[in-house]
Amino acid sequence: MAKFTSWDGLELNYRVWEGEGMPVVLQHGIVADTNANWMSVGVVAALHTAGHHVISLDARGHGRSEKPHDPARYSWHAMADDVRALYDHLGLDEVAQVGYSMGGIISILVAQADARVRRLAVGGIGSGVVDCGGIDWRVINAEDIVTAMRGDGSETVERAKMFRMLADVLGADREAIAALAGGLNEAPIKTVADIAVPTLVLAGDADPFAAEPDRLAAAFPNAKLAVVPGDHLVATTDPGFSAALVEFLA
């Protein structure tokens, strides 16, 4: 594990597994971190076993990174700029960018802004990107997550309960997650038609947050789709998830 200072002075944590070829940069979903989203479910092991040079970033507000409680320190573009700042810090000339859920939205924004992204893989998102410009607000909105992170959780809507439970299991800073969710109330993606790099869309077949992933894949100029068993929390644990990612990056 290592730390670096991002573009606005926040100290962020990242981890590197040495390997060959184009680096694979991982960005996790909301509430999760490098361990929960990528290590514990076998994604890092599968990539590293295949010989890849793997890098994973704990997003601001998560894991071992700094966790401000001010919503002004969070936005989609701020977190995309964190990923690009990590590229700069490590002197990366080309990368395969991989993101899940929140990290999928961030990774799309990075790919749109940075020519160093040569391949893109996004999971845990679907037609909400096309129809809503980001996270599917028809399933959940930022205020639902803010409410879930505060108080005793009794006011939490059903769809947000899993994020509250995940935060408690991981020992996450719930106030930081609430601040982050409060800063993510925009729809940052106008189109994905400008992303020409080879792209993989990964989705669990029972994931309401990744509904109609075929429509998202079709919106990219050069994308393929892989669907695995599972909902939003367990799709990454299915061996097919890691296998599809390894095959795509081969």
Side-chain angles (χ1 to χ4, degrees):
M1 292 178 288
K3 293 186 182 292
F4 79 107
T5 301
S6 194
W7 59 276
D8 66 345
L10 280 189
E11 189 173 65
L12 304 183
N13 185 79
Y14 67 96
R15 186 161 180 173
V16 178
W17 293 263
E18 297 289 344
E20 301 297 326
M22 183 166 59
V24 180
V25 179
L26 307 175
Q27 182 63 84
H28 60 76
I30 193 168
V31 181
D33 55 22
T34 290
N35 180 61
N37 211 148
W38 305 120
M39 293 174 62
S40 66
V41 299
V43 172
V44 167
L47 290 169
H48 199 228
T49 298
H52 291 289
H53 184 85
V54 183
I55 303 163
S56 185
L57 173 66
D58 281 348
R60 57 178 61 205
H62 295 76
R64 292 179 172 84
S65 289
E66 197 170 345
K67 304 174 182 66
H69 289 181
D70 179 2
R73 303 301 298 274
Y74 299 97
S75 73
W76 290 111
H77 289 283
M79 291 193 288
D81 287 345
D82 288 338
V83 176
R84 300 177 68 202
L86 179 61
Y87 294 176
D88 294 340
H89 173 72
L90 295 175
L92 305 180
D93 296 323
E94 58 178 11
V95 301
Q97 179 62 43
V98 180
Y100 192 79
S101 190
M102 175 189 78
I105 304 299
I106 293 168
S107 295
I108 288 172
L109 295 174
V110 174
Q112 288 177 321
D114 203 309
R116 288 174 289 186
V117 177
R118 305 297 172 83
R119 283 182 173 261
L120 173 67
V122 296
I125 53 178
S127 62
V129 175
V130 178
D131 296 338
C132 308
I135 296 298
D136 197 335
W137 55 260
R138 298 165 298 191
V139 179
I140 197 168
N141 60 47
E143 191 56 40
D144 290 335
I145 296 178
V146 173
T147 301
M149 292 300 130
R150 290 181 170 153
D152 63 4
S154 60
E155 301 299 319
T156 304
V157 299
E158 192 64 34
R159 291 288 194 199
K161 286 181 179 178
M162 71 176 201
F163 296 107
R164 168 91 179 203
M165 291 187 293
L166 181 61
D168 290 343
V169 167
L170 298 179
D173 185 330
R174 285 197 278 110
E175 188 56 38
I177 302 299
L180 175 141
L184 301 186
N185 54 8
E186 59 178 320
I189 299 171
K190 307 302 181 191
T191 181
V192 295
D194 55 348
I195 299 177
V197 299
T199 300
L200 174 66
V201 175
L202 275 160
D205 62 1
D207 184 354
F209 300 94
E212 301 178 297
D214 55 314
R215 290 185 55 216
L216 175 57
F220 287 99
N222 184 17
K224 61 195 316 185
L225 171 65
V227 178
V228 300
D231 61 18
H232 197 68
L233 287 185
V234 306
T236 55
T237 69
D238 186 87
F241 186 97
S242 295
L245 188 56
V246 168
E247 180 183 358
F248 173 69
L249 296 174

